[in-house]
Amino acid sequence: VLMVVAAALAAVLGHPEDGALLLFLFVLSGALEDRAMAKTMRAVEALHKLMPTSAMVWRDERGGGNAGSWIEADPKSLRVGERIRIRAGELVAADARVTSGDSSLDQATLTGESVPREVTIGDTVYAGTLNGDSSLRVQVTATGNDTALAGIMRLVQEAQQSKSRTQVLADMA
């Protein structure tokens, strides 16, 4: 409403080109905002696609201590403390600590770093990162919404839905 009033007043004062420019800039800013929102949504969807669909987990289905076996499970069913195996070329299913093996991890999806990070026993690995050249065994430290990747997705979504102070002031006017 304020933009239309300003454009009308500019026309009444003999400067219709200024009013037209004002309206053009207002429409352009709205289009750019919509484009940025769509780009953010695509980025969030891409982050969701980074999560693996299965994980090799050591489970003792009979309750006999070490009498279990490696089974393929949904990453959503993982629990903190469980042991999982990550083969070369697989995505890490949950945040975890390396208990056996050493490898390089491509963490570009989380950190933007183009050089893979070398990990060994005791190091932390993050869900959604790509295991490089050898197999790892890890113990799960965080699952589901508690992983670093889930936290990043949550922050992106919150930032997308929140308004800047300038926008709040403009809405109040």
Side-chain angles (χ1 to χ4, degrees), residues 1 20 25 29 41 44 54 58 60 64 79-80 84 95 100-101 104 106 113 124-125 137 148 154-156 160 164:
V1 173
L25 291 174
S29 68
M41 286 304 295
V44 169
S54 66
W58 180 263
D60 182 7
R79 295 179 300 269
V80 172
I84 58 176
D95 290 0
S100 174
S104 60
D106 180 355
E113 181 65 40
T124 301
V125 296
R137 291 190 184 185
R154 193 170 38 256
L155 287 172
V156 168
Q160 180 184 16
S164 68

Side-chain angles (χ1 to χ4, degrees), residues 53-68:
T53 56
S54 66
M56 291 301 291
V57 61
W58 180 263
R59 292 237 170 107
D60 182 7
E61 300 298 329
R62 295 162 284 171
N66 287 330

Side-chain angles (χ1 to χ4, degrees), residues 3 14 30 49 52 65-66 77 81 85 88 95 100 105 118 131 143 152 158 164:
M3 294 296 160
K49 290 178 184 176
N66 287 330
S77 73
R85 181 175 62 198
D95 290 0
S100 174
L105 283 181
E118 296 298 320
N131 185 20
T143 62
I152 290 170
E158 287 173 8
S164 68

Side-chain angles (χ1 to χ4, degrees), residues 52 54-56 85-93 105 128-132:
S54 66
M56 291 301 291
R85 181 175 62 198
I86 307 159
R87 295 186 201 120
E90 286 184 342
L91 291 172
V92 178
L105 283 181
T129 57
L130 181 64
N131 185 20

Side-chain angles (χ1 to χ4, degrees), residues 47-48 50-51 95 109-110 126-128 147-154:
L47 285 173
H48 277 290
L50 290 176
M51 288 306 295
D95 290 0
T109 54
L110 293 179
Y126 299 102
T147 65
L149 182 60
I152 290 170
M153 289 189 301
R154 193 170 38 256

